[in-house]
mmCIF file of all heavy atoms in Angstrom:
data_model
loop_
_atom_site.group_PDB
_atom_site.id
_atom_site.type_symbol
_atom_site.label_atom_id
_atom_site.label_comp_id
_atom_site.label_asym_id
_atom_site.label_seq_id
_atom_site.Cartn_x
_atom_site.Cartn_y
_atom_site.Cartn_z
ATOM 1 N N PRO A 1 -22.990 -3.699 -29.395
ATOM 2 C CA PRO A 1 -22.928 -5.159 -29.184
ATOM 3 C C PRO A 1 -24.066 -5.857 -29.897
ATOM 4 O O PRO A 1 -25.057 -5.216 -30.313
ATOM 5 C CB PRO A 1 -23.041 -5.283 -27.677
ATOM 6 C CG PRO A 1 -23.835 -4.093 -27.256
ATOM 7 C CD PRO A 1 -23.438 -2.978 -28.218
ATOM 8 N N PRO A 2 -24.018 -7.164 -30.025
ATOM 9 C CA PRO A 2 -25.136 -7.900 -30.638
ATOM 10 C C PRO A 2 -26.396 -7.756 -29.791
ATOM 11 O O PRO A 2 -26.312 -7.623 -28.569
ATOM 12 C CB PRO A 2 -24.644 -9.362 -30.632
ATOM 13 C CG PRO A 2 -23.148 -9.287 -30.507
ATOM 14 C CD PRO A 2 -22.894 -8.036 -29.710
ATOM 15 N N PRO A 3 -27.563 -7.757 -30.395
ATOM 16 C CA PRO A 3 -28.809 -7.544 -29.638
ATOM 17 C C PRO A 3 -29.012 -8.608 -28.570
ATOM 18 O O PRO A 3 -29.545 -8.312 -27.498
ATOM 19 C CB PRO A 3 -29.910 -7.636 -30.707
ATOM 20 C CG PRO A 3 -29.215 -7.311 -32.004
ATOM 21 C CD PRO A 3 -27.813 -7.835 -31.855
ATOM 22 N N GLU A 4 -28.561 -9.864 -28.792
ATOM 23 C CA GLU A 4 -28.820 -10.921 -27.821
ATOM 24 C C GLU A 4 -27.963 -10.781 -26.562
ATOM 25 O O GLU A 4 -28.281 -11.406 -25.534
ATOM 26 C CB GLU A 4 -28.552 -12.276 -28.475
ATOM 27 C CG GLU A 4 -27.131 -12.510 -28.998
ATOM 28 C CD GLU A 4 -26.991 -12.056 -30.428
ATOM 29 O OE1 GLU A 4 -27.894 -11.330 -30.919
ATOM 30 O OE2 GLU A 4 -25.997 -12.416 -31.061
ATOM 31 N N VAL A 5 -26.885 -9.992 -26.598
ATOM 32 C CA VAL A 5 -26.050 -9.849 -25.400
ATOM 33 C C VAL A 5 -26.094 -8.412 -24.878
ATOM 34 O O VAL A 5 -25.417 -8.125 -23.883
ATOM 35 C CB VAL A 5 -24.605 -10.228 -25.703
ATOM 36 C CG1 VAL A 5 -24.506 -11.652 -26.177
ATOM 37 C CG2 VAL A 5 -23.984 -9.295 -26.732
ATOM 38 N N GLU A 6 -26.891 -7.543 -25.513
ATOM 39 C CA GLU A 6 -26.875 -6.154 -25.088
ATOM 40 C C GLU A 6 -27.440 -5.987 -23.676
ATOM 41 O O GLU A 6 -26.887 -5.246 -22.873
ATOM 42 C CB GLU A 6 -27.705 -5.336 -26.079
ATOM 43 C CG GLU A 6 -27.647 -3.833 -25.804
ATOM 44 C CD GLU A 6 -28.301 -3.019 -26.902
ATOM 45 O OE1 GLU A 6 -28.854 -3.632 -27.840
ATOM 46 O OE2 GLU A 6 -28.243 -1.784 -26.820
ATOM 47 N N SER A 7 -28.542 -6.702 -23.360
ATOM 48 C CA SER A 7 -29.117 -6.593 -22.012
ATOM 49 C C SER A 7 -28.191 -7.146 -20.977
ATOM 50 O O SER A 7 -28.007 -6.572 -19.875
ATOM 51 C CB SER A 7 -30.477 -7.298 -21.977
ATOM 52 O OG SER A 7 -30.321 -8.669 -22.322
ATOM 53 N N ALA A 8 -27.540 -8.268 -21.270
ATOM 54 C CA ALA A 8 -26.605 -8.866 -20.320
ATOM 55 C C ALA A 8 -25.408 -7.960 -20.106
ATOM 56 O O ALA A 8 -24.915 -7.794 -18.987
ATOM 57 C CB ALA A 8 -26.157 -10.241 -20.803
ATOM 58 N N LEU A 9 -24.938 -7.323 -21.180
ATOM 59 C CA LEU A 9 -23.804 -6.436 -21.068
ATOM 60 C C LEU A 9 -24.156 -5.201 -20.243
ATOM 61 O O LEU A 9 -23.354 -4.708 -19.443
ATOM 62 C CB LEU A 9 -23.336 -6.014 -22.468
ATOM 63 C CG LEU A 9 -22.101 -5.141 -22.546
ATOM 64 C CD1 LEU A 9 -20.894 -5.845 -21.956
ATOM 65 C CD2 LEU A 9 -21.811 -4.740 -23.982
ATOM 66 N N ALA A 10 -25.388 -4.706 -20.416
ATOM 67 C CA ALA A 10 -25.815 -3.558 -19.629
ATOM 68 C C ALA A 10 -25.876 -3.906 -18.157
ATOM 69 O O ALA A 10 -25.510 -3.107 -17.276
ATOM 70 C CB ALA A 10 -27.184 -3.082 -20.107
ATOM 71 N N ALA A 11 -26.354 -5.128 -17.831
ATOM 72 C CA ALA A 11 -26.406 -5.581 -16.431
ATOM 73 C C ALA A 11 -25.015 -5.693 -15.846
ATOM 74 O O ALA A 11 -24.764 -5.283 -14.707
ATOM 75 C CB ALA A 11 -27.155 -6.881 -16.334
ATOM 76 N N ILE A 12 -24.073 -6.220 -16.627
ATOM 77 C CA ILE A 12 -22.705 -6.354 -16.137
ATOM 78 C C ILE A 12 -22.077 -4.977 -15.923
ATOM 79 O O ILE A 12 -21.379 -4.739 -14.937
ATOM 80 C CB ILE A 12 -21.885 -7.203 -17.128
ATOM 81 C CG1 ILE A 12 -22.375 -8.637 -17.156
ATOM 82 C CG2 ILE A 12 -20.404 -7.171 -16.754
ATOM 83 C CD1 ILE A 12 -21.705 -9.512 -18.176
ATOM 84 N N ASN A 13 -22.358 -4.057 -16.848
ATOM 85 C CA ASN A 13 -21.813 -2.707 -16.699
ATOM 86 C C ASN A 13 -22.372 -2.024 -15.448
ATOM 87 O O ASN A 13 -21.641 -1.345 -14.725
ATOM 88 C CB ASN A 13 -22.155 -1.867 -17.929
ATOM 89 C CG ASN A 13 -21.361 -2.278 -19.145
ATOM 90 O OD1 ASN A 13 -20.285 -2.830 -19.010
ATOM 91 N ND2 ASN A 13 -21.895 -2.024 -20.328
ATOM 92 N N THR A 14 -23.666 -2.251 -15.199
ATOM 93 C CA THR A 14 -24.276 -1.661 -13.976
ATOM 94 C C THR A 14 -23.637 -2.230 -12.723
ATOM 95 O O THR A 14 -23.303 -1.491 -11.777
ATOM 96 C CB THR A 14 -25.774 -1.922 -13.960
ATOM 97 O OG1 THR A 14 -26.375 -1.359 -15.151
ATOM 98 C CG2 THR A 14 -26.428 -1.296 -12.759
ATOM 99 N N ALA A 15 -23.448 -3.555 -12.708
ATOM 100 C CA ALA A 15 -22.795 -4.167 -11.542
ATOM 101 C C ALA A 15 -21.373 -3.698 -11.388
ATOM 102 O O ALA A 15 -20.911 -3.425 -10.254
ATOM 103 C CB ALA A 15 -22.828 -5.689 -11.709
ATOM 104 N N HIS A 16 -20.678 -3.568 -12.516
ATOM 105 C CA HIS A 16 -19.288 -3.050 -12.421
ATOM 106 C C HIS A 16 -19.221 -1.636 -11.887
ATOM 107 O O HIS A 16 -18.362 -1.302 -11.065
ATOM 108 C CB HIS A 16 -18.662 -3.121 -13.798
ATOM 109 C CG HIS A 16 -17.334 -2.403 -13.894
ATOM 110 N ND1 HIS A 16 -16.209 -2.816 -13.209
ATOM 111 C CD2 HIS A 16 -16.979 -1.297 -14.561
ATOM 112 C CE1 HIS A 16 -15.220 -1.986 -13.453
ATOM 113 N NE2 HIS A 16 -15.675 -1.046 -14.277
ATOM 114 N N ASN A 17 -20.172 -0.801 -12.339
ATOM 115 C CA ASN A 17 -20.194 0.571 -11.843
ATOM 116 C C ASN A 17 -20.459 0.619 -10.354
ATOM 117 O O ASN A 17 -19.892 1.425 -9.601
ATOM 118 C CB ASN A 17 -21.243 1.379 -12.607
ATOM 119 C CG ASN A 17 -20.894 1.570 -14.063
ATOM 120 O OD1 ASN A 17 -19.688 1.560 -14.409
ATOM 121 N ND2 ASN A 17 -21.870 1.751 -14.918
ATOM 122 N N GLN A 18 -21.381 -0.286 -9.878
ATOM 123 C CA GLN A 18 -21.666 -0.313 -8.450
ATOM 124 C C GLN A 18 -20.453 -0.783 -7.653
ATOM 125 O O GLN A 18 -20.121 -0.213 -6.591
ATOM 126 C CB GLN A 18 -22.868 -1.268 -8.200
ATOM 127 C CG GLN A 18 -23.306 -1.325 -6.753
ATOM 128 C CD GLN A 18 -23.789 -0.006 -6.226
ATOM 129 O OE1 GLN A 18 -24.457 0.727 -6.948
ATOM 130 N NE2 GLN A 18 -23.465 0.323 -4.987
ATOM 131 N N VAL A 19 -19.776 -1.811 -8.158
ATOM 132 C CA VAL A 19 -18.569 -2.304 -7.495
ATOM 133 C C VAL A 19 -17.495 -1.233 -7.481
ATOM 134 O O VAL A 19 -16.813 -1.020 -6.461
ATOM 135 C CB VAL A 19 -18.056 -3.595 -8.184
ATOM 136 C CG1 VAL A 19 -16.695 -3.998 -7.627
ATOM 137 C CG2 VAL A 19 -19.040 -4.725 -7.988
ATOM 138 N N SER A 20 -17.318 -0.544 -8.628
ATOM 139 C CA SER A 20 -16.319 0.532 -8.661
ATOM 140 C C SER A 20 -16.665 1.645 -7.674
ATOM 141 O O SER A 20 -15.768 2.181 -7.020
ATOM 142 C CB SER A 20 -16.241 1.101 -10.087
ATOM 143 O OG SER A 20 -15.847 0.109 -10.991
ATOM 144 N N SER A 21 -17.975 1.952 -7.540
ATOM 145 C CA SER A 21 -18.386 2.979 -6.589
ATOM 146 C C SER A 21 -18.087 2.542 -5.156
ATOM 147 O O SER A 21 -17.573 3.310 -4.332
ATOM 148 C CB SER A 21 -19.878 3.282 -6.744
ATOM 149 O OG SER A 21 -20.321 4.217 -5.783
ATOM 150 N N ASP A 22 -18.401 1.278 -4.832
ATOM 151 C CA ASP A 22 -18.117 0.773 -3.471
ATOM 152 C C ASP A 22 -16.612 0.774 -3.201
ATOM 153 O O ASP A 22 -16.178 1.123 -2.082
ATOM 154 C CB ASP A 22 -18.677 -0.621 -3.318
ATOM 155 C CG ASP A 22 -20.210 -0.649 -3.399
ATOM 156 O OD1 ASP A 22 -20.793 0.430 -3.209
ATOM 157 O OD2 ASP A 22 -20.769 -1.722 -3.664
ATOM 158 N N ILE A 23 -15.824 0.376 -4.187
ATOM 159 C CA ILE A 23 -14.372 0.361 -3.988
ATOM 160 C C ILE A 23 -13.843 1.783 -3.776
ATOM 161 O O ILE A 23 -13.011 2.039 -2.919
ATOM 162 C CB ILE A 23 -13.683 -0.284 -5.208
ATOM 163 C CG1 ILE A 23 -14.013 -1.790 -5.269
ATOM 164 C CG2 ILE A 23 -12.171 -0.093 -5.151
ATOM 165 C CD1 ILE A 23 -13.483 -2.488 -6.488
ATOM 166 N N SER A 24 -14.390 2.736 -4.539
ATOM 167 C CA SER A 24 -13.959 4.128 -4.375
ATOM 168 C C SER A 24 -14.313 4.670 -2.989
ATOM 169 O O SER A 24 -13.501 5.347 -2.337
ATOM 170 C CB SER A 24 -14.593 5.007 -5.467
ATOM 171 O OG SER A 24 -14.202 4.577 -6.742
ATOM 172 N N LEU A 25 -15.526 4.341 -2.508
ATOM 173 C CA LEU A 25 -15.922 4.810 -1.192
ATOM 174 C C LEU A 25 -15.058 4.160 -0.108
ATOM 175 O O LEU A 25 -14.651 4.824 0.866
ATOM 176 C CB LEU A 25 -17.387 4.441 -0.954
ATOM 177 C CG LEU A 25 -18.427 5.241 -1.768
ATOM 178 C CD1 LEU A 25 -19.832 4.702 -1.513
ATOM 179 C CD2 LEU A 25 -18.351 6.723 -1.468
ATOM 180 N N ALA A 26 -14.763 2.870 -0.269
ATOM 181 C CA ALA A 26 -13.902 2.201 0.719
ATOM 182 C C ALA A 26 -12.504 2.794 0.710
ATOM 183 O O ALA A 26 -11.884 3.013 1.766
ATOM 184 C CB ALA A 26 -13.828 0.714 0.417
ATOM 185 N N GLN A 27 -11.970 3.084 -0.491
ATOM 186 C CA GLN A 27 -10.633 3.685 -0.566
ATOM 187 C C GLN A 27 -10.637 5.089 0.053
ATOM 188 O O GLN A 27 -9.675 5.467 0.747
ATOM 189 C CB GLN A 27 -10.181 3.755 -2.030
ATOM 190 C CG GLN A 27 -9.811 2.408 -2.598
ATOM 191 C CD GLN A 27 -9.409 2.502 -4.062
ATOM 192 O OE1 GLN A 27 -9.610 3.536 -4.711
ATOM 193 N NE2 GLN A 27 -8.807 1.447 -4.589
ATOM 194 N N ALA A 28 -11.714 5.843 -0.181
ATOM 195 C CA ALA A 28 -11.800 7.174 0.411
ATOM 196 C C ALA A 28 -11.867 7.106 1.930
ATOM 197 O O ALA A 28 -11.199 7.893 2.633
ATOM 198 C CB ALA A 28 -13.011 7.908 -0.122
ATOM 199 N N GLY A 29 -12.657 6.143 2.470
ATOM 200 C CA GLY A 29 -12.719 5.986 3.921
ATOM 201 C C GLY A 29 -11.394 5.571 4.509
ATOM 202 O O GLY A 29 -10.958 6.075 5.565
ATOM 203 N N ALA A 30 -10.710 4.631 3.811
ATOM 204 C CA ALA A 30 -9.406 4.216 4.312
ATOM 205 C C ALA A 30 -8.386 5.337 4.268
ATOM 206 O O ALA A 30 -7.594 5.522 5.221
ATOM 207 C CB ALA A 30 -8.898 3.018 3.481
ATOM 208 N N ASP A 31 -8.417 6.122 3.177
ATOM 209 C CA ASP A 31 -7.491 7.262 3.099
ATOM 210 C C ASP A 31 -7.755 8.293 4.212
ATOM 211 O O ASP A 31 -6.821 8.853 4.794
ATOM 212 C CB ASP A 31 -7.629 7.938 1.726
ATOM 213 C CG ASP A 31 -7.151 7.026 0.603
ATOM 214 O OD1 ASP A 31 -6.389 6.087 0.900
ATOM 215 O OD2 ASP A 31 -7.530 7.276 -0.578
ATOM 216 N N GLN A 32 -9.057 8.490 4.519
ATOM 217 C CA GLN A 32 -9.381 9.466 5.568
ATOM 218 C C GLN A 32 -8.888 8.974 6.914
ATOM 219 O O GLN A 32 -8.358 9.752 7.716
ATOM 220 C CB GLN A 32 -10.910 9.657 5.595
ATOM 221 C CG GLN A 32 -11.355 10.742 6.598
ATOM 222 C CD GLN A 32 -12.842 10.955 6.534
ATOM 223 O OE1 GLN A 32 -13.550 10.272 5.802
ATOM 224 N NE2 GLN A 32 -13.305 11.938 7.289
ATOM 225 N N ARG A 33 -9.050 7.663 7.195
ATOM 226 C CA ARG A 33 -8.568 7.128 8.483
ATOM 227 C C ARG A 33 -7.053 7.194 8.562
ATOM 228 O O ARG A 33 -6.486 7.459 9.645
ATOM 229 C CB ARG A 33 -9.051 5.678 8.640
ATOM 230 C CG ARG A 33 -10.537 5.574 8.970
ATOM 231 C CD ARG A 33 -10.919 4.179 9.385
ATOM 232 N NE ARG A 33 -10.769 3.230 8.271
ATOM 233 C CZ ARG A 33 -11.749 2.963 7.424
ATOM 234 N NH1 ARG A 33 -12.935 3.565 7.527
ATOM 235 N NH2 ARG A 33 -11.544 2.074 6.475
ATOM 236 N N VAL A 34 -6.370 6.979 7.454
ATOM 237 C CA VAL A 34 -4.915 7.053 7.458
ATOM 238 C C VAL A 34 -4.466 8.496 7.760
ATOM 239 O O VAL A 34 -3.523 8.720 8.542
ATOM 240 C CB VAL A 34 -4.358 6.581 6.090
ATOM 241 C CG1 VAL A 34 -2.875 6.918 5.975
ATOM 242 C CG2 VAL A 34 -4.553 5.080 5.960
ATOM 243 N N VAL A 35 -5.162 9.462 7.142
ATOM 244 C CA VAL A 35 -4.807 10.869 7.405
ATOM 245 C C VAL A 35 -5.055 11.232 8.851
ATOM 246 O O VAL A 35 -4.237 11.915 9.507
ATOM 247 C CB VAL A 35 -5.599 11.775 6.458
ATOM 248 C CG1 VAL A 35 -5.415 13.226 6.840
ATOM 249 C CG2 VAL A 35 -5.174 11.553 4.998
ATOM 250 N N GLN A 36 -6.196 10.774 9.411
ATOM 251 C CA GLN A 36 -6.482 11.058 10.798
ATOM 252 C C GLN A 36 -5.456 10.413 11.718
ATOM 253 O O GLN A 36 -5.034 11.013 12.724
ATOM 254 C CB GLN A 36 -7.890 10.554 11.136
ATOM 255 C CG GLN A 36 -9.010 11.345 10.469
ATOM 256 C CD GLN A 36 -10.364 10.779 10.754
ATOM 257 O OE1 GLN A 36 -10.488 9.672 11.307
ATOM 258 N NE2 GLN A 36 -11.413 11.498 10.343
ATOM 259 N N SER A 37 -5.017 9.199 11.423
ATOM 260 C CA SER A 37 -3.996 8.554 12.245
ATOM 261 C C SER A 37 -2.677 9.288 12.187
ATOM 262 O O SER A 37 -2.004 9.452 13.227
ATOM 263 C CB SER A 37 -3.824 7.108 11.757
ATOM 264 O OG SER A 37 -5.026 6.373 11.868
ATOM 265 N N ARG A 38 -2.339 9.771 11.006
ATOM 266 C CA ARG A 38 -1.099 10.539 10.879
ATOM 267 C C ARG A 38 -1.142 11.822 11.709
ATOM 268 O O ARG A 38 -0.175 12.196 12.373
ATOM 269 C CB ARG A 38 -0.831 10.863 9.415
ATOM 270 C CG ARG A 38 -0.421 9.647 8.589
ATOM 271 C CD ARG A 38 -0.253 10.005 7.138
ATOM 272 N NE ARG A 38 0.135 8.878 6.329
ATOM 273 C CZ ARG A 38 0.235 8.902 4.994
ATOM 274 N NH1 ARG A 38 0.015 10.044 4.340
ATOM 275 N NH2 ARG A 38 0.600 7.815 4.346
ATOM 276 N N ARG A 39 -2.297 12.483 11.648
ATOM 277 C CA ARG A 39 -2.421 13.715 12.426
ATOM 278 C C ARG A 39 -2.379 13.419 13.920
ATOM 279 O O ARG A 39 -1.789 14.196 14.692
ATOM 280 C CB ARG A 39 -3.746 14.387 12.071
ATOM 281 C CG ARG A 39 -3.755 14.990 10.661
ATOM 282 C CD ARG A 39 -5.065 15.673 10.371
ATOM 283 N NE ARG A 39 -5.045 16.269 9.026
ATOM 284 C CZ ARG A 39 -6.103 16.896 8.476
ATOM 285 N NH1 ARG A 39 -7.252 17.008 9.177
ATOM 286 N NH2 ARG A 39 -6.014 17.416 7.277
ATOM 287 N N ALA A 40 -2.987 12.313 14.389
ATOM 288 C CA ALA A 40 -2.937 11.959 15.814
ATOM 289 C C ALA A 40 -1.510 11.680 16.261
ATOM 290 O O ALA A 40 -1.090 12.109 17.336
ATOM 291 C CB ALA A 40 -3.840 10.740 16.070
ATOM 292 N N VAL A 41 -0.764 10.987 15.398
ATOM 293 C CA VAL A 41 0.638 10.700 15.736
ATOM 294 C C VAL A 41 1.434 11.999 15.821
ATOM 295 O O VAL A 41 2.284 12.184 16.738
ATOM 296 C CB VAL A 41 1.248 9.740 14.686
ATOM 297 C CG1 VAL A 41 2.749 9.630 14.885
ATOM 298 C CG2 VAL A 41 0.596 8.369 14.797
ATOM 299 N N GLU A 42 1.174 12.921 14.903
ATOM 300 C CA GLU A 42 1.894 14.212 14.916
ATOM 301 C C GLU A 42 1.571 14.987 16.184
ATOM 302 O O GLU A 42 2.450 15.606 16.816
ATOM 303 C CB GLU A 42 1.527 15.013 13.692
ATOM 304 C CG GLU A 42 2.065 14.427 12.384
ATOM 305 C CD GLU A 42 1.618 15.221 11.180
ATOM 306 O OE1 GLU A 42 0.859 16.187 11.389
ATOM 307 O OE2 GLU A 42 1.999 14.860 10.042
#
C-alpha cells in the first residue's frame, strides 16, 4: 500500500482480526450451547 496509508491499514487489519476472533469465539460458544441443549433434550 502507499506509505501514507500503511499505518492506518495495519490498524484496520488489527481491529478486523480482533473482531473476527471475537466472532469466532462467540460462534464457538453458541455452537457448544446448542450441542449441550440437544444432548439434554435427548
Side-chain angles (χ1 to χ4, degrees):
E4 59 271 15
V5 301
E6 187 172 3
S7 59
L9 184 61
I12 294 176
N13 289 335
T14 302
H16 169 66
N17 294 334
Q18 183 63 39
V19 171
S20 298
S21 177
D22 294 341
I23 292 175
S24 299
L25 291 175
Q27 289 179 347
D31 293 340
Q32 185 177 4
R33 287 192 293 271
V34 169
V35 172
Q36 291 176 351
S37 300
R38 289 177 180 175
R39 290 181 178 177
V41 171
E42 292 177 358

